[in-house]
Amino acid sequence: MNELSDPVNIESARLTDVPALCHLLQQLFSIEQDFTPDLEKQRAGLTLLIQQPDRGTIMVARNAEGHAIGMISAQLVISTAEGAPSAWIEDMVIDSAWRNRGLGKSLLQAILNWASQQGATRAQLLVDMDNTPAIAYYDHLGWHTSRLQMRSLFL
């Protein structure tokens, strides 16, 4: 892995980031079987999350010019198993031109720091079962596979 040689800044997303974040989500959702890129839905979801910082956050990695080159989001839920908040991590994506430089690890650490500061005692995420590079990546970072299986139902 090539470490970052170019300066990168990681900070909370702003509403002005939404178009660039939609572009990143398009890259992510184009490789996941359960989701389809939908610009209006992604714009609405990103806007809601940015406007409700008490419920979650989006961290953005910016290059030296200030362009969004990666993102990750987390939302808080109350875990009755933990008796404390838990962080659902979603939407981790690095622009294809910036991958394999350690940026994902930096973004993930930033979101875990945020979650810890919010009182979360556990973090969890979903990985597309066909995305073997992502599965290997999270295994490498020490994430454990759960015996739970995610189910979904559209309302």
Side-chain angles (χ1 to χ4, degrees):
M1 169 173 35
N2 301 329
E3 291 301 316
L4 287 169
S5 57
D6 299 318
V8 172
N9 186 36
I10 297 176
E11 61 187 20
S12 297
R14 303 181 293 257
L15 285 174
T16 55
D17 293 319
V18 169
L21 300 181
C22 285
H23 175 72
L24 288 169
L25 288 178
Q26 183 177 22
Q27 290 182 48
L28 177 63
F29 293 162
S30 68
I31 62 170
E32 291 186 347
Q33 291 186 34
D34 286 355
F35 302 107
T36 303
D38 182 321
L39 182 62
E40 290 309 311
K41 286 182 180 179
Q42 275 78 72
R43 184 184 330 236
L46 291 164
T47 300
L48 281 170
L49 192 50
I50 292 169
Q51 290 177 333
Q52 298 180 40
D54 57 319
R55 295 183 66 177
T57 192
I58 302 169
M59 301 301 269
V60 178
R62 300 179 194 285
N63 64 10
E65 292 79 35
H67 300 282
I69 57 172
M71 67 175 284
I72 190 169
S73 67
Q75 298 182 54
L76 297 174
V77 297
I78 302 302
S79 169
T80 55
E82 293 293 318
S86 177
W88 270 106
I89 297 175
E90 296 187 305
D91 304 330
M92 183 161 133
V93 59
I94 310 300
D95 185 89
S96 58
W98 287 83
R99 291 182 188 151
N100 299 313
R101 300 184 193 193
L103 187 52
K105 186 175 181 181
S106 296
L107 272 171
L108 192 55
Q109 190 56 57
I111 209 82
L112 292 174
N113 290 344
W114 172 87
S116 181
Q117 291 168 1
Q118 307 310 307
T121 59
R122 181 181 69 206
Q124 48 211 3
L125 54 80
L126 301 173
V127 180
D128 186 307
M129 295 303 294
D130 294 325
N131 190 344
T132 53
I135 292 169
Y137 179 72
Y138 291 119
D139 285 346
H140 169 75
L141 293 178
W143 286 76
H144 304 283
T145 300
S146 169
R147 296 283 304 147
L148 301 174
Q149 183 185 60
M150 197 273 293
R151 302 289 174 126
S152 67
L153 177 70
F154 289 100
L155 304 178

